[in-house]
C-alpha cells in the first residue's frame, strides 16, 4: 500500500501543514505522515525578477533529496510558486511520479482584499494537496466540477469542487494504487 | 467522468526553450491533452506527420525560422490548424501580423494559467465549430443532390456518365428527351455536381410564361417599366449569378426573345426592362426541349446561331419504353418514396402488377410512372400493390378469360365485377343480376379469393 509523506517547505504555517495529514489519510485511505526534519529551504528556487519560487526547481530538489524513498511525497509551502511560462501555479506534481508541491500563498483570502478565513484556507489547501497528489497517482483533470481532480486555475474554482474524488477518479486511483 | 472518456484533444508546443516546452506540456498533459513538443521550425514541420494537432502553441522568436514564418508553413500543410502565438517580447506589430496571418490569439510570457486554459479551450471550440460547419456543408451538399437518378440500363448509365463529365465544366448543356423523362432532374444533377453548387439553380419554364412576360421574367424590370410594375424586380438571369439557369422548353421562345437570349449568352450582361443599368451576371446555361430543334431551324422558326450556342453539349434521355429494365428500379424507388411520405407499409408490387407496369408504354414517361405509383399507394392495402390498384388503362387486361369456354369467361367477368365493387357481394350480385347465394356459390366454384 502506498504511503504519503508531507514535507514542510519553509516558510510555511506548521499548524496548517500538520492539519493536512488527517484529511489526506481519510480521503486516500493510505497512511500519511509528516516529517518536519526533512523540511526544505526553497531559497535556491527563488527568482528575483518574478519575486516568486520556481516550483519545477523545487520538484527537482525533491528528486535529489528523497532518492530511494518509496511512496508519495508532497511539499507544502506559503511562498508564491510559478512555472516559467505561467504567471503562477497553486501547485505542481509529477504525473504518475512520486513528488508534488503545493502552495497556500494564493489560497489565502487576504491576498484578494478579503478578511482572513482560516477554515476556508484549510479547505482549499486540503483540496489542492489532494489534487496534486492525485496527479502523482496518474490522474488527469476531470470534467466533473465536483471532483477534486477538476482543474482549478482560479481560487474561486477551488471553492466549487469538493475535496473528494468522483467515482471514476476514485476507481482509477484504486486501480493505480494496486499496481 | 475522467477526461480520458472523451476524445483526446491534441496540442503541439513549439518553443526553443526547454523549460517552456516542459512546463507547458506538463500543464496540458494533466488536462488530458495528447501533447508533443518541437524545439524549432524543422522539428515542428516533421511533427506535423504525427498530427492532426488541434491547437499549436507557437513561440514567435526562435532561432532560424520565426514563429510567424512557421505559422505560414504549417498552414500550407494543414490549413485548418488553430495557432496561438506565445512570446516573451510583446510588440504590437508582431501581434497584428500574427493575427492577420490567421493566429487564433496572441499571449505574452508568462501567461496567466486561467487565461491560457480558457484560450486553448476557446481555440478548440472554434476549431470544432469550423469542422462541424464543414461537415454540415458537406451534408447539405449531399442533401442537395436532390432526387436520385434511378436507372441501371446502359442508356441511363451513359446519360449519368455524360452529366457527371459535363458538370465539372461551364459548358452550355442541351438536354433532349420526351416530356416527363426527367430533363430537369438531369439539369439539377449537373448543377449539384458542378463547382457552382453553392449558388442557386434557377429554373424557368419558357413555355409556361406568356411571351409578353418572359422578357421581364428573364431580365427583370425597373419600377414603372410597364403598367403594374410598381417595384423593381430582379430577373432570373440576375438571380442565377454564380449559379445555373435552367431554361426548360427553350424551343417555344419567340424570335425576338431568341435574339435577346443570344446577346445575353454571348456577353453575360443585360439591362432590366425599362432600365439603363448594365447588369453583369455569371451564370451557366442548361436548357431542355422535347421539340425537334433541327427541324425548327430548317423551318426558320429557331435561329441557327442560337441553336449552335445552346447545343454545345447534348444529353439525350431515352424514354422509358426504350429502357424497360429500369422500370422495376423506378417502381421500387417510388414505392420507397411514397411509403415514407404516406407512412404506409407497402414495399412491393405483386409479380403480375410488375408485369403490367413493365409492359405498358408510358407515353408520359417517368412522370406518369410516378403518378401511377403514387395513386396506387393511396388505394393499395399493405403489404403490396396489386393490379387492381393500378389505373384502368393499365389494369384493364387483368381479368381476362384464360380460354373461350363459358366457365372461363364467367369466372373472369365475376372476378372483374367483384374487383370493381371492392368485393361488395350485394352490389356485385345486383350488377350481375343474380342473387347473393348464387354469387357465393360461383365464388366457391371458381376458387376466387378476396384480395
Amino acid at each position: 500500500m502506498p504511503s504519503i509523506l508531507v514535507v514542510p517547505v519553509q516558510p510555511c504555517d506548521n499548524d496548517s501543514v500538520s492539519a493536512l495529514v488527517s484529511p489526506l489519510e481519510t480521503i486516500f485511505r493510505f497512511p500519511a505522515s509528516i516529517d518536519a526534519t526533512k523540511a526544505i529551504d526553497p531559497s535556491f528556487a527563488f527568482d528575483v525578477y518574478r519575486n516568486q519560487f520556481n516550483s519545477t526547481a523545487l520538484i527537482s530538489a525533491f528528486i535529489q533529496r528523497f532518492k530511494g524513498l518509496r511512496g508519495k511525497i508532497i511539499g507544502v509551502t506559503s511562498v508564491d510558486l510559478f512555472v516559467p511560462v505561467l504567471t503562477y501555479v497553486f501547485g505542481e506534481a509529477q504525473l504518475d511520479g512520486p513528488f508534488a508541491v503545493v502552495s497556500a500563498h494564493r489560497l489565502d483570502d487576504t491576498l484578494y482584499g478579503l478578511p482572513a478565513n482560516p477554515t476556508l484556507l484549510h479547505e482549499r489547501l486540503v483540496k489542492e494537496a489532494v489534487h496534486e497528489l492525485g496527479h502523482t497517482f496518474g490522474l488527469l483533470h476531470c470534467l466533473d466540477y465536483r471532483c477534486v481532480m477538476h482543474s482549478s486555475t482560479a481560487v474561486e474554482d477551488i471553492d466549487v469542487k469538493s475535496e473528494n474524488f468522483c467515482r471514476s477518479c476514485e476507481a482509477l486511483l484504486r486501480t493505480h494504487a494496486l499496481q | 467522468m475522467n477526461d480520458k472518456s472523451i476524445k483526446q484533444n491534441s496540442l503541439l508546443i513549439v518553443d526553443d526553450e526547454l523549460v517552456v516546452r516542459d512546463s507547458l506540456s506538463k500543464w496540458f498533459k494533466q488536462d488530458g491533452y495528447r501533447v508533443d513538443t518541437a524545439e524549432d521550425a524543422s522539428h515542428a514541420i516533421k511533427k506535423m506527420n504525427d498530427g492532426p494537432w488541434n491547437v499549436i502553441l507557437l513561440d514567435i522568436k526562435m532561432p532560424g525560422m520565426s514563429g510567424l514564418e512557421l505559422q505560414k508553413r504549417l498552414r500550407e500543410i494543414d490549413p485548418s490548424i488553430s495557432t496561438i502565438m506565445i512570446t516573451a517580447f510583446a510588440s504590437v506589430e508582431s501581434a497584428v501580423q500574427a493575427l492577420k496571418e490567421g493566429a487564433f490569439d496572441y499571449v505574452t510570457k508568462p501567461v496567466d494559467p486561467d487565461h491560457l486554459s480558457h484560450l486553448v479551450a476557446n481555440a478548440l471550440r472554434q476549431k470544432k465549430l469550423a469542422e462541424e460547419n464543414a461537415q454540415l456543408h458537406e451534408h447539405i451538399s449531399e442533401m442537395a443532390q436532390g432526387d436520385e437518378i434511378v436507372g441501371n440500363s446502359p442508356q441511363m448509365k451513359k446519360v449519368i456518365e455524360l452529366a457527371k463529365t459535363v458538370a465539372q465544366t461551364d459548358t452550355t448543356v442541351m438536354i433532349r428527351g420526351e416530356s416527363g423523362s426527367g430533363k430537369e432532374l438531369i439539369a439539377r444533377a449537373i448543377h449539384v455536381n458542378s463547382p457552382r453548387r453553392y449558388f442557386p439553380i434557377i429554373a424557368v419554364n419558357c413555355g409556361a410564361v406568356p411571351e409578353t412576360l418572359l422578357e421581364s421574367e428573364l431580365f427583370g424590370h425597373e419600377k414603372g417599366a410597364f403598367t403594374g410594375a410598381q417595384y423593381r424586380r430582379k430577373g432570373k438571369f440576375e438571380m442565377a449569378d454564380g449559379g445555373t439557369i435552367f431554361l426548360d422548353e427553350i424551343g417555344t421562345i419567340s424570335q425576338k426573345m431568341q435574339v435577346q437570349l443570344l446577346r445575353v449568352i454571348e456577353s453575360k450582361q443585360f439591362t432590366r426592362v425599362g432600365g439603363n443599368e448594365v447588369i453583369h451576371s455569371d451564370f451557366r446555361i442548361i436548357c431542355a426541349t422535347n421539340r425537334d430543334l433541327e427541324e425548327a431551324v430548317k423551318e426558320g422558326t429557331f435561329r441557327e446561331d442560337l441553336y449552335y450556342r445552346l447545343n454545345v453539349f447534348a444529353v439525350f434521355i431515352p424514354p422509358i419504353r426504350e429502357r424497360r429494365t429500369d422500370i422495376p428500379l423506378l417502381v421500387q424507388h417510388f414505392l420507397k418514396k411514397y411509403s415514407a411520405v404516406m407512412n404506409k407499409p407497402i414495399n412491393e408490387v405483386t409479380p403480375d402488377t410488375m408485369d403490367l407496369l413493365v409492359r405498358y408504354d408510358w407515353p408520359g414517361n417517368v412522370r406518369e410512372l410516378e403518378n401511377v405509383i403514387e395513386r396506387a399507394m393511396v388505394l393499395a392495402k399493405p403489404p403490396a400493390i396489386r393490379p387492381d390498384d393500378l389505373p384502368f388503362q393499365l389494369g384493364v387486361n387483368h381479368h381476362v378469360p384464360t380460354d373461350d369456354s363459358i366457365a372461363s369467361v364467367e369466372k373472369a367477368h365475376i372476378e372483374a365485377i367483384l374487383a370493381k365493387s371492392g368485393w361488395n357481394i350485394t352490389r356485385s350480385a345486383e350488377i350481375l343480376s343474380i342473387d347473393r347465394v348464387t354469387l357465393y356459390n360461383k365464388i366457391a366454384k371458381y376458387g376466387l379469393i378476396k384480395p
Side-chain angles (χ1 to χ4, degrees):
Chain A
M1 185 186 285
S3 61
I4 297 166
L5 179 65
V6 181
V7 175
V9 178
Q10 300 297 346
C12 64
D13 178 24
N14 288 328
D15 291 343
S16 58
V17 178
S18 309
L20 276 176
V21 177
S22 164
L24 288 180
E25 271 194 331
T26 313
I27 294 162
F28 282 95
R29 287 184 273 145
F30 302 138
S33 58
I34 181 164
D35 190 348
T37 61
K38 293 198 164 60
I40 281 179
D41 173 9
S43 52
F44 66 91
F46 186 66
D47 186 309
V48 282
Y49 295 105
R50 296 185 57 152
N51 198 26
Q52 287 174 305
F53 292 76
N54 186 328
S55 65
T56 312
L58 276 175
I59 298 259
S60 307
F62 277 34
I63 298 169
Q64 291 300 315
R65 177 91 180 242
F66 299 103
K67 211 178 267 179
L69 209 78
R70 293 178 65 86
K72 306 294 183 189
I73 295 153
I74 183 163
V76 184
T77 184
S78 300
V79 300
D80 194 15
L81 300 178
F82 78 96
V83 295
V85 76
L86 298 176
T87 46
Y88 66 90
V89 287
F90 295 132
E92 188 180 339
Q94 289 182 305
L95 192 64
D96 204 6
F99 303 110
V101 60
V102 68
S103 160
H105 183 79
R106 289 182 187 248
L107 307 182
D108 187 352
D109 259 358
T110 57
L111 198 79
Y112 306 94
L114 298 169
N117 187 339
T119 315
L120 186 62
L121 175 61
H122 171 70
E123 283 172 13
R124 288 171 176 171
L125 190 59
V126 170
K127 288 175 190 176
E128 279 311 284
V130 174
H131 181 96
E132 295 305 336
L133 282 167
H135 284 316
T136 65
F137 285 99
L139 297 182
L140 300 176
H141 287 157
C142 179
L143 290 177
D144 186 341
Y145 68 92
R146 291 158 304 189
C147 176
V148 72
M149 291 314 292
H150 190 70
S151 170
S152 312
T153 45
V155 78
E156 300 80 9
D157 296 338
I158 304 174
D159 296 340
V160 174
K161 65 187 180 186
S162 75
E163 60 192 28
N164 296 305
F165 296 102
C166 68
R167 287 176 68 181
S168 161
C169 289
E170 177 81 35
L172 288 169
L173 172 75
R174 299 294 150 207
T175 315
H176 190 279
L178 287 175
Q179 287 165 358
Chain B
M1 192 167 65
N2 202 286
D3 280 7
K4 278 176 180 169
S5 61
I6 55 171
K7 198 183 159 201
Q8 203 177 22
N9 288 312
S10 59
L11 189 85
L12 180 66
I13 298 157
V14 189
D15 199 303
D16 57 326
E17 284 181 86
L18 174 67
V19 66
V20 170
R21 291 199 302 274
D22 280 357
S23 53
L24 279 177
S25 81
K26 206 164 156 184
W27 170 266
F28 284 106
K29 269 181 189 160
Q30 288 182 352
D31 247 341
Y33 288 87
R34 177 170 74 89
V35 186
D36 205 348
T37 60
E39 62 204 72
D40 56 29
S42 63
H43 283 90
I45 291 166
K46 272 183 207 150
K47 288 275 162 86
M48 287 303 278
N49 291 327
D50 305 334
W53 302 103
N54 296 123
V55 176
I56 300 184
L57 294 177
L58 266 180
D59 185 19
I60 288 195
K61 210 158 195 178
M62 288 188 294
M65 193 190 294
S66 81
L68 288 172
E69 182 60 30
L70 177 60
Q71 179 181 233
K72 266 194 227 164
R73 294 284 297 274
L74 296 179
R75 263 179 210 293
E76 283 166 16
I77 300 170
D78 178 2
S80 72
I81 52 161
S82 192
T83 50
I84 294 174
M85 310 300 286
I86 298 191
T87 186
F89 311 95
S91 78
V92 177
E93 297 90 89
S94 59
V96 170
Q97 204 192 334
L99 294 175
K100 264 187 179 171
E101 283 168 15
F104 176 76
D105 214 326
Y106 181 99
V107 288
T108 50
K109 283 187 255 184
V111 197
D112 181 88
D114 202 30
H115 182 54
L116 186 63
S117 62
H118 281 124
L119 206 60
V120 172
N122 285 342
L124 278 170
R125 197 171 304 135
Q126 196 206 40
K127 192 176 155 68
K128 284 213 172 95
L129 281 173
E131 281 168 4
E132 206 175 282
N133 187 294
Q135 277 171 5
L136 287 173
H137 223 117
E138 218 168 272
H139 192 58
I140 288 171
S141 310
E142 276 168 23
M143 291 200 299
Q145 302 288 321
D147 282 341
E148 215 179 320
I149 296 168
V150 179
N152 213 5
S153 59
Q155 297 100 307
M156 260 335 259
K157 276 187 180 161
K158 197 181 162 201
V159 168
I160 295 166
E161 194 56 41
L162 281 175
K164 273 189 184 156
T165 312
V166 78
Q168 300 308 317
T169 67
D170 251 352
T171 310
T172 301
V173 182
M174 166 87 79
I175 303 169
R176 313 286 290 263
E178 283 182 12
S179 173
S181 55
K183 295 186 286 295
E184 184 163 347
L185 208 61
I186 297 289
R188 289 189 184 274
I190 293 173
H191 174 73
V192 298
N193 283 299
S194 76
R196 293 174 174 269
R197 61 181 168 276
Y198 297 121
F199 293 89
I201 173 166
I202 305 289
V204 190
N205 188 336
C206 303
V209 183
E211 170 63 30
T212 46
L213 288 181
L214 189 59
E215 190 183 3
S216 150
E217 186 74 14
L218 290 178
F219 307 117
H221 62 248
E222 294 293 341
K223 182 182 172 185
F226 47 85
T227 315
Q230 291 186 41
Y231 299 104
R232 193 167 85 175
R233 186 166 178 256
K234 272 188 180 182
K236 301 290 191 195
F237 275 112
E238 204 172 333
M239 283 160 70
D241 190 18
T244 305
I245 188 160
F246 174 57
L247 302 171
D248 203 359
E249 296 190 42
I250 191 76
T252 61
I253 61 169
S254 69
Q255 291 272 355
K256 181 178 166 247
M257 206 59 225
Q258 289 177 28
V259 178
Q260 280 179 296
L261 200 56
L262 183 64
R263 203 166 51 222
V264 176
I265 295 170
E266 282 176 348
S267 65
K268 294 271 166 104
Q269 60 187 41
F270 53 90
T271 55
R272 297 192 192 102
V273 177
N276 296 317
E277 188 193 346
V278 177
I279 316 278
H280 296 267
S281 182
D282 167 34
F283 52 82
R284 184 229 189 121
I285 293 187
I286 301 178
C287 55
T289 186
N290 54 9
R291 283 178 58 171
D292 187 349
L293 280 190
E294 290 75 13
E295 193 56 37
V297 169
K298 266 188 212 160
E299 286 171 6
T301 54
F302 201 87
R303 291 182 66 98
E304 195 173 4
D305 43 8
L306 181 61
Y307 170 79
Y308 286 118
R309 272 276 167 207
L310 295 175
N311 196 27
V312 180
F313 189 94
V315 177
F316 179 74
I317 308 174
I320 45 176
R321 65 176 172 278
E322 288 178 18
R323 48 184 178 100
R324 291 185 195 271
T325 50
D326 284 342
I327 293 176
L329 287 175
L330 285 160
V331 168
Q332 275 309 323
H333 174 73
F334 293 129
L335 271 182
K336 211 169 140 191
K337 179 176 167 184
Y338 288 105
S339 80
V341 170
M342 297 181 189
N343 200 17
K344 266 183 120 173
I346 297 173
N347 41 31
E348 56 180 343
V349 297
T350 57
D352 44 348
T353 314
M354 186 61 90
D355 189 47
L356 284 173
L357 291 169
V358 172
R359 278 193 283 142
Y360 184 62
D361 268 353
W362 301 107
N365 280 295
V366 186
R367 188 185 288 136
E368 187 185 3
L369 175 61
E370 180 171 2
N371 291 346
V372 164
I373 299 293
E374 185 181 357
R375 181 186 177 278
M377 286 291 284
V378 175
L379 297 174
K381 292 191 185 104
I385 292 180
R386 295 165 188 286
D388 294 342
D389 303 323
L390 298 178
F392 179 69
Q393 70 269 25
L394 274 117
V396 67
N397 53 357
H398 177 59
H399 304 292
V400 287
T402 45
D403 53 52
D404 290 337
S405 68
I406 294 285
S408 183
V409 172
E410 185 179 67
K411 181 189 171 195
H413 185 58
I414 291 173
E415 210 174 1
I417 298 299
L418 282 168
K420 207 170 160 187
S421 70
W423 273 72
N424 183 324
I425 302 295
T426 311
R427 284 231 33 222
S428 303
E430 270 171 29
I431 295 168
L432 293 165
S433 299
I434 51 173
D435 61 49
R436 291 169 63 239
V437 177
T438 311
L439 181 53
Y440 273 120
N441 288 338
K442 290 195 184 289
I443 289 170
K445 179 182 167 192
Y446 295 123
L448 302 178
I449 298 161
K450 190 176 175 178

